[in-house]
Amino acid sequence: ETVQRRGVQVQDVLTYARTLDAPVTRECVDLNALVDGILTDLEADIRQAGATVDVDDLPLVEGDPMQMRMLFQNLIGNALKFRLAGRKHRVSVSASAERLGHRVTVQDNGIGIRPEDQHKVFGLFNRLHLRDQYAGTGIGLSLCQRVAENHHFAIEVDSDGHSGTAFTMQFPEMPV
């Protein structure tokens, strides 16, 4: 198991490193199609979690399609992973139009992140839980932060520490 975990860690580090220096292509990305594809890929995880995933009508955004996929795959994957036993698990991907773009939120009703730990979640290799509780390498949210930086938007976390977590991104208006 340790060898397998190290292999996953190496892959995650390589993925992270590639996003540091990768030139960001600017294309129109249909978040509806992107999230649909991710949900298809995560179908077994959704079934295993017994989760309901609700998705709003999502906007078109400008960005690198591969990086946008990594961003949403990590956020939705985490939302499915950090669930609370005994609670019907729900994940939502919602969007709202804002004056200068679109606000997109991935929210769950899982275990939450304590307010005093929220500043740590985007740090490389930062894990808030033991490996035997929740699998992972501690790179996923660092990768999300890096994608946000590459695209010049912010990603924020909000949680009361026990009734779920929301990750919100403010995408700028697409140029015409």
Side-chain angles (χ1 to χ4, degrees), residues 84 87-91 107-111 162-165:
L84 196 60
R87 182 185 292 167
K88 174 71 174 138
H89 198 58
R90 300 189 71 82
V91 175
Q107 184 167 6
D108 64 64
N109 67 340
I111 64 172
H162 56 81
S163 60
T165 304

Side-chain angles (χ1 to χ4, degrees), residues 20-168:
L20 288 176
D21 298 323
V24 177
T25 62
R26 298 286 180 181
E27 297 177 28
C28 178
V29 178
D30 180 350
L31 292 183
N32 289 303
L34 184 96
V35 169
D36 277 351
I38 291 168
L39 294 179
T40 298
D41 292 347
L42 294 174
E43 208 170 287
D45 295 334
I46 294 167
R47 211 175 15 258
Q48 180 193 2
T52 302
V53 180
D54 298 312
V55 181
D56 280 0
D57 187 32
L58 301 175
L60 300 173
V61 297
E62 184 183 51
D64 184 291
M66 187 66 82
Q67 289 191 26
M68 288 292 136
R69 183 170 181 78
M70 287 189 293
L71 171 75
F72 281 92
Q73 184 138 2
N74 274 297
L75 293 176
I76 294 168
N78 278 356
L80 291 168
K81 183 191 319 183
F82 295 101
R83 60 188 180 275
L84 196 60
R87 182 185 292 167
K88 174 71 174 138
H89 198 58
R90 300 189 71 82
V91 175
S92 69
V93 183
S94 59
S96 60
E98 302 279 319
R99 193 169 64 80
L100 297 174
H102 297 278
R103 178 180 293 273
V104 179
T105 301
V106 176
Q107 184 167 6
D108 64 64
N109 67 340
I111 64 172
I113 301 169
R114 297 179 322 176
E116 62 268 26
D117 289 335
Q118 290 174 18
H119 71 281
K120 300 176 192 173
V121 298
F122 294 111
L124 192 59
F125 300 118
N126 281 352
R127 294 179 47 88
L128 301 180
H129 307 283
L130 298 174
R131 272 191 189 82
D132 60 349
Q133 291 176 305
Y134 298 97
T137 59
I139 293 178
L141 290 176
S142 299
L143 187 63
C144 292
Q145 176 70 39
R146 189 64 216 178
V147 169
E149 289 170 5
N150 287 350
H151 289 80
H152 308 292
F153 65 82
I155 181 170
E156 299 170 353
V157 59
D158 183 44
S159 176
D160 62 9
H162 56 81
S163 60
T165 304
F167 286 92
T168 301

